[in-house]
């Protein structure tokens, strides 16, 4: 069976939920304190042994390309300044990654972004990681998904348990459990109301696809706003091939909207020893001040 050697990272979206910040700056470069979102996702891939990373980019996405360059000047400066920790982190990522940049000419949706990478991926199985979803560190999600692919030779998508009252925000899977945490997908439903939802397992931004997904993407008709939806192509793939699913243990951080981005920054800051004490004190003060406003409104 073919090994998984490549990942596609679609990062060409408009980021409208973050305008005007995203007019000239990709949301994937927003910092979680001092590290851009996209670096978390790249580190996760490198941790799973994937070094060939195909970024599907677009206009205003140049900072992502600069970020993964080797910067000899900066490395020399940090060396001279004795800033070894930062130097090590900067070196590790940019020296390990083999970045490939593919341009999505027009933002015609996530499915279209994935299809744009076809000439580079070729006829191999590959990973898709969304550029704004961070997974809790140390959970080995991608490595587990790769193991499932190696066992069954079929596509594997990550699912995440969401609040049953919030199924109408996600693509939801109807599943049959194969073993603890591993499922076969029966069907996929886009944003069902809680009373119609077949489960509370949502599609969450990590996928392994067999190359047949490209044929299905080519057959997918554009939906709302002319966008080609990845879920529609997955539904067609399901008619021909089994798709497995893996339930993500641990937390999922969606950095693509302001509220969840803020929650992510706060939680990551609270995990840092040098920030925790001051931040907890500050949060205590502001929470007591602003919760009075909530009570009044
Ligand atoms: P989102 O649904 O988050 O869309 O895309 P978006 O455009 O980035 O953000 P909003 O909804 O306007 O605020 C999910 C992922 O797919 C990529 C995005 O960059 C993001 O990582 N994407 C989306 C593309 O690469 N191309 C597209 O045409 C659409």
């Amino acid at each position: 069976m073919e090994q998984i050697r490549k990942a596609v990272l679609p990062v060409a979206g408009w980021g409208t939920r973050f305008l005007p910040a995203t007019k000239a700056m990709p949301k994937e470069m927003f910092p979680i304190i001092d590290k851009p979102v996209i670096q978390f996702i790249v580190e996760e891939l490198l941790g799973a042994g994937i070094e060939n990373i195909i970024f599907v980019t677009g206009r205003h996405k140049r900072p992502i390309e600069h970020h993964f360059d080797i910067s000899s000047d900066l490395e020399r400066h940090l060396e001279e300044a004795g800033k070894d920790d930062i130097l090590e982190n900067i070196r590790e990522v940019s020296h390990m990654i083999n970045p490939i940049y593919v341009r999505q000419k027009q933002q015609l949706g996530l499915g279209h972004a994935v299809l744009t990478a076809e000439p580079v991926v070729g006829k191999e199985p590959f990973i898709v990681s969304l550029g704004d979803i961070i997974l809790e560190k140390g959970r080995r999600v991608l490595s587990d998904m790769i193991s499932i692919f190696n066992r069954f030779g079929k596509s594997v998508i990550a699912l995440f348990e969401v609040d049953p009252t919030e199924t109408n925000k996600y693509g939801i899977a109807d599943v049959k459990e194969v073993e603890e945490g591993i499922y076969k997908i029966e069907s996929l439903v886009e944003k069902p109301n809680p009373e119609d939802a077949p489960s509370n397992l949502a599609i969450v931004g990590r996928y392994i696809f067999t190359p047949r997904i490209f044929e299905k993407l080519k057959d997918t008709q554009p939906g709302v706003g002319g966008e080609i939806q990845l879920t529609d192509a997955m539904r067609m793939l399901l008619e021909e091939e089994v798709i497995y699913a893996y339930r993500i243990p641990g937390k999922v951080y969606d950095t693509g909207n302001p509220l969840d981005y803020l929650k992510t920054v706060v939680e990551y800051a609270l995990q840092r020893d040098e920030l925790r004490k001051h931040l907890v004190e500050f949060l205590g003060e502001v929470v007591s001040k602003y919760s009075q406003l909530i009570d009044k409104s």
Side-chain angles (χ1 to χ4, degrees):
M1 190 191 310
E2 283 215 72
Q3 251 199 316
I4 294 176
R5 303 180 306 134
K6 297 172 184 165
V8 174
L9 252 80
V11 291
W14 290 108
T16 48
R17 286 166 291 173
F18 262 114
L19 281 168
T22 42
K23 219 178 139 202
M25 170 59 80
K27 66 176 175 184
E28 296 82 4
M29 284 301 294
F30 285 3
I32 306 300
I33 310 165
D34 47 15
K35 190 190 286 186
V37 169
I38 195 76
Q39 189 173 329
F40 285 88
I41 296 156
V42 165
E43 286 177 2
E44 184 198 343
L45 284 162
L46 294 175
I50 307 296
E51 291 168 11
N52 300 304
I53 302 183
I54 303 157
F55 295 87
V56 181
T57 71
R59 244 182 306 167
H60 310 312
K61 300 289 179 164
R62 273 287 149 88
I64 297 176
E65 297 176 33
H66 297 317
H67 185 72
F68 292 107
D69 276 349
I70 292 176
S71 172
S72 310
D73 291 356
L74 178 62
E75 287 186 15
R76 203 173 318 115
H77 165 71
L78 292 170
E79 219 165 54
E80 282 164 12
K83 301 197 167 151
D84 296 343
D85 288 2
I86 311 175
L87 178 63
E88 206 177 304
N89 182 276
I90 282 179
R91 268 208 183 127
E92 204 180 305
V93 172
S94 48
H95 286 251
M96 276 172 82
I97 185 177
N98 174 29
I100 301 154
Y101 298 98
V102 172
R103 182 109 162 180
Q104 189 185 17
K105 286 189 285 192
Q106 218 184 341
Q107 283 106 320
L108 293 178
L110 174 59
H112 181 261
V114 173
L115 185 55
T116 305
E118 186 195 13
V120 186
V121 173
K123 295 197 183 317
E124 293 181 25
F126 63 103
I127 294 172
V128 174
S129 291
L130 292 199
D132 52 5
I133 303 284
I134 299 179
L135 305 184
E136 190 179 332
K137 207 174 153 66
R139 291 295 186 158
R140 294 179 46 85
V141 169
L142 285 177
S143 306
D144 285 350
M145 289 174 69
I146 292 172
S147 303
I148 299 169
F149 173 81
N150 289 341
R151 268 173 72 190
F152 300 109
K154 297 292 178 207
S155 300
V156 185
I157 63 171
L159 298 176
F160 179 60
E161 264 183 275
V162 297
D163 185 328
T165 62
E166 296 196 336
T167 53
N168 55 355
K169 291 188 189 164
Y170 304 90
I172 298 288
D174 187 4
V175 293
K176 208 162 139 199
E177 191 156 24
V178 178
E179 58 193 67
E180 173 72 34
I182 302 178
Y183 308 84
K184 266 185 187 171
I185 305 265
E186 304 266 287
S187 63
L188 297 164
V189 196
E190 203 52 65
K191 301 183 175 159
N193 287 324
E195 57 278 18
D196 305 323
S199 77
N200 66 334
L201 292 168
I203 304 171
V204 81
R206 297 292 183 272
Y207 317 77
I208 293 176
F209 288 118
T210 59
R212 190 175 282 259
I213 193 71
F214 291 129
E215 305 314 314
K216 300 301 155 196
L217 283 166
K218 285 174 200 162
D219 290 344
T220 302
Q221 295 304 313
V224 189
E227 293 205 343
I228 295 176
Q229 305 290 349
L230 184 58
T231 315
D232 289 344
M234 281 161 55
R235 226 178 266 129
M236 286 198 266
L237 183 65
L238 201 50
E239 288 171 15
E240 286 177 21
E241 285 186 3
V242 177
I243 301 181
Y244 286 87
Y246 169 80
R247 178 163 37 83
I248 293 189
K251 290 193 80 164
V252 173
Y253 300 91
D254 178 0
T255 67
N257 68 79
L259 179 61
D260 289 316
Y261 170 72
L262 277 174
K263 287 183 183 173
T264 308
V265 173
V266 171
E267 190 162 341
Y268 272 78
L270 289 170
Q271 287 166 9
R272 298 252 295 242
D273 293 343
E274 78 282 15
L275 299 176
R276 189 178 306 112
K277 183 169 175 291
H278 294 295
L279 187 58
V280 165
E281 281 167 13
F282 170 75
L283 288 174
E285 284 165 28
V286 287
V287 164
S288 68
K289 179 174 169 198
Y290 288 96
S291 45
Q292 289 165 15
L293 290 181
I294 298 175
D295 295 343
K296 280 182 201 147
S297 61

